[in-house]
Amino acid sequence: MTVPSIRKALDAITFDGPVIGQDHDGYDRYRRIWNGIADRRPAAIVRARGVEDVRKAVGLAADLGALLAVRCGGHSLPGLSTCDDGIVLDLSLINDVVVDKAAGIADVGGGALLGDLDAAGARAGLVTPAGVVSHTGVAGLTLGGGMGWLSRRFGLTIDNLLGAEVVTADGRVIWASAESEPELFWALRGGGGNFGVVTRFRFRMHEFGPIIVGCWTYAAADHERVLLGFDQLSAAAPREMTTNFSFAPSVITVTACWSGNADGAASAVAPFGRLAAPMSGGFGEMPYITLQKRHDEAMAWGMRHYSKGGFLGKIDVSTIARMNEIIATAPATGTDIYILQLGGAITDIDEHATPYSGRAASYYWITNALWDRQADDARYIDWGRKAAKSLAAISLKGNYVNEQADHGKDVAEKAYGAEKYLKLARLKARYDPTNLFRLNQNIEPRAT
Ligand code: FAD
């Protein structure tokens, strides 16, 4: 399918939202996604304003056999929310968030960002747990799982999903929930964008007060003492506490976030500042919204990025030694191993209740490589690949589909495990038999 023929077919349809073709002034702005490596040139970007626009774009892509990339916040690490010569269906104009405070529910447009959800929740004194960078898209994050500061207390984002409105490959608009289309609802909670375009999510919200955040930096030379102490304190912490660290070439940054009753906060958070002699740090009350935006600038749009993640059962002396070996070979800037504590409410849900794998893990790791010059691509990607491979060798089975720089059937199969992958593949055959939605961690349809 050629770019002019896609353009001609799009021109014959009336959309409520704008269609940005290659000759449009805003083309370069709208074709960009978060990861600067993904420099692609779609035939057009359809900026949908509602469900009907989504249905028309999906129908057209199916009729033409054109590549279709679906985009919410544009943070796909492998660049799957854009494509060359196909159609990008951009949901970012469908970003309304309606909170029903009395019912403790949020209805969220399929193009909203975490910042939209957090802000609407904060106005009502409520929260839905999500990720840690506010310009990430709710849709992409939710469809893979959604881990963040409040997962240990309130569960993953998918554990708070009550229902979703989905436009399927054949143009139907389906409400999926525990009562209606339960198998589709199961698939949406970790199966990624494989099953259709979600135009609306319904989330449970929780009453939420102030949080206490402590953050300290330590010399990387103290890594063994700091990380063993971190693991010991984290393992004993209640689910009101979530901890993380970033192990970079010269510095380890430890953060502890307490979301429970303020009375217990100081005694729970302060010990993370005594793991060795800190170079800097302290703790205090912080609005949740401020915490959510804390890394927005460091993770700004346009940088080049390569990262991969996995699940860890424990952090012991040999894990720490391996991390140290990995960091010793890292480019000096823009690299780290980031660890997020899991457990708590995540483990309340049965492993088979959702496609997301890794409920038994104590930690999630991600090796991050962030740089700005194309000339450095090979150096950073090479380090990122080797670093992730080395940590993967001591990791638990399963993986998080949302944070894999590479993609392909093997990535999805490994992440879900054979049993869940087969169940997903059968559901894929039911809801998307021609694999129209294939720009994702793809699940190939399997009829039997
Ligand atoms: P997009 O690029 O817009 O979409 C990614 C994929 O999701 C698309 O390819 C498509 O397959 C699908 N998709 C998007 N919108 C829809 C829709 N409406 N309907 C159907 N399918 C759709 N993950 C965490 O769990 N916790 C974190 O704290 C976290 N932090 C992150 C911080 C940064 C800076 C980045 C880059 C990623 C982070 N992630 C985190 C990973 C994140 O969950 C994934 O990158 C996710 O895919 C981003 O969603 P998006 O909507 O922004 O991405």
Side-chain angles (χ1 to χ4, degrees):
M1 186 50 49
T2 62
V3 170
S5 54
I6 291 175
R7 189 56 214 264
K8 195 170 160 206
L10 281 167
D11 285 346
I13 296 178
T14 306
F15 289 94
D16 274 350
V19 175
I20 314 290
Q22 293 185 340
D23 54 352
H24 189 284
D25 281 352
Y27 178 73
D28 279 332
R29 188 167 127 225
Y30 291 115
R31 78 182 174 88
R32 284 174 70 222
I33 63 167
W34 176 83
N35 191 346
I37 290 186
D39 183 18
R40 316 245 161 80
R41 297 186 63 80
I45 300 119
V46 177
R47 306 197 68 216
R49 276 203 202 280
V51 180
E52 273 314 300
D53 278 357
V54 171
R55 289 188 66 232
K56 287 175 189 170
V58 166
L60 184 86
D63 289 349
L64 297 178
L67 258 187
L68 178 66
V70 182
R71 180 188 304 168
C72 171
H75 282 45
S76 164
L77 299 180
L80 295 167
S81 49
T82 185
C83 57
D84 282 323
D85 304 335
I87 299 170
V88 171
L89 176 54
D90 172 2
L91 281 277
S92 61
L93 295 175
I94 310 176
N95 64 348
D96 53 309
V97 178
V98 179
V99 172
D100 180 337
K101 186 174 167 146
I105 280 171
D107 278 323
V108 181
L113 304 183
L114 302 195
D116 300 320
L117 174 59
D118 292 340
R123 285 193 288 275
L126 299 172
V127 75
T128 294
V132 303
V133 173
S134 81
H135 47 69
T136 312
V138 170
L141 177 126
T142 301
L143 294 169
M147 303 182 275
W149 286 114
L150 302 178
S151 314
R152 281 172 47 77
R153 180 148 178 224
F154 298 129
L156 300 169
T157 311
I158 46 170
D159 301 338
N160 292 277
L161 183 65
L162 299 173
E165 181 183 74
V166 188
V167 175
T168 51
D170 57 7
R172 282 179 298 152
V173 182
I174 296 181
W175 178 254
S177 68
E179 294 77 33
S180 151
E181 305 268 346
E183 288 187 299
L184 176 58
F185 186 54
W186 179 84
L188 294 176
R189 287 175 293 160
N194 275 283
F195 298 93
V197 181
V198 178
T199 45
R200 185 153 305 278
F201 295 90
R202 176 164 294 172
F203 292 111
R204 183 185 305 119
M205 303 201 92
H206 304 267
E207 281 186 21
F208 194 60
I211 48 168
I212 308 292
V213 179
C215 184
W216 291 270
T217 57
Y218 295 96
D222 288 330
H223 60 273
E224 186 171 305
R225 195 170 147 203
V226 169
L227 301 187
L228 280 176
F230 170 90
D231 178 63
Q232 218 170 25
L233 289 176
S234 299
R239 51 181 67 183
E240 284 86 355
M241 173 80 94
T242 297
T243 60
N244 75 25
F245 68 79
S246 151
F247 187 174
S250 58
V251 67
I252 295 175
T253 306
V254 170
T255 308
C257 170
W258 174 267
S259 66
N261 187 318
D263 294 344
S267 58
V269 172
F272 286 90
R274 299 194 289 265
L275 299 171
M279 299 192 297
S280 63
F283 69 93
E285 194 174 309
M286 187 184 279
Y288 178 65
I289 287 198
T290 307
L291 176 69
Q292 289 292 85
K293 291 179 189 290
R294 218 163 58 119
H295 297 301
D296 281 8
E297 223 174 287
M299 301 302 274
W301 274 61
M303 293 287 286
R304 308 174 85 77
H305 192 267
Y306 187 93
S307 65
K308 285 181 166 183
F311 295 114
L312 274 181
K314 59 182 186 307
I315 295 176
D316 57 13
V317 174
S318 69
T319 318
I320 295 167
R322 186 163 298 221
M323 288 186 194
N324 190 45
E325 272 167 35
I326 291 168
I327 284 301
T329 62
T333 57
T335 50
D336 76 341
I337 298 170
Y338 170 88
I339 297 275
L340 175 70
Q341 187 191 9
L342 300 177
I346 299 169
T347 63
D348 292 348
I349 308 286
D350 184 78
E351 175 70 42
H352 295 279
T354 62
Y356 171 91
S357 62
R359 290 194 181 267
S362 305
Y363 299 103
Y364 175 69
W365 59 263
I366 184 160
T367 51
N368 279 308
L370 193 68
W371 68 104
D372 56 4
R373 295 182 328 149
Q374 193 172 1
D376 289 327
D377 283 5
R379 193 161 66 99
Y380 277 85
I381 291 173
D382 184 55
W383 175 79
R385 281 223 167 94
K386 288 181 179 148
K389 193 172 171 198
S390 176
L391 272 186
I394 56 164
S395 294
L396 301 177
K397 277 192 185 152
N399 214 328
Y400 186 37
V401 283
N402 270 8
E403 294 194 320
Q404 302 303 325
D406 299 328
H407 66 101
K409 186 181 174 222
D410 54 324
V411 177
E413 213 163 2
K414 225 167 157 183
Y416 296 117
E419 195 184 331
K420 283 185 184 177
Y421 185 85
L422 181 60
K423 183 169 173 182
L424 286 164
R426 287 184 173 139
L427 288 168
K428 177 81 172 173
R430 192 188 307 167
Y431 289 100
D432 182 18
T434 65
N435 208 0
L436 175 66
F437 302 110
R438 61 184 175 277
L439 289 177
N440 41 47
Q441 293 296 359
N442 196 229
I443 295 156
E444 290 178 5
R446 184 163 163 180
T448 56

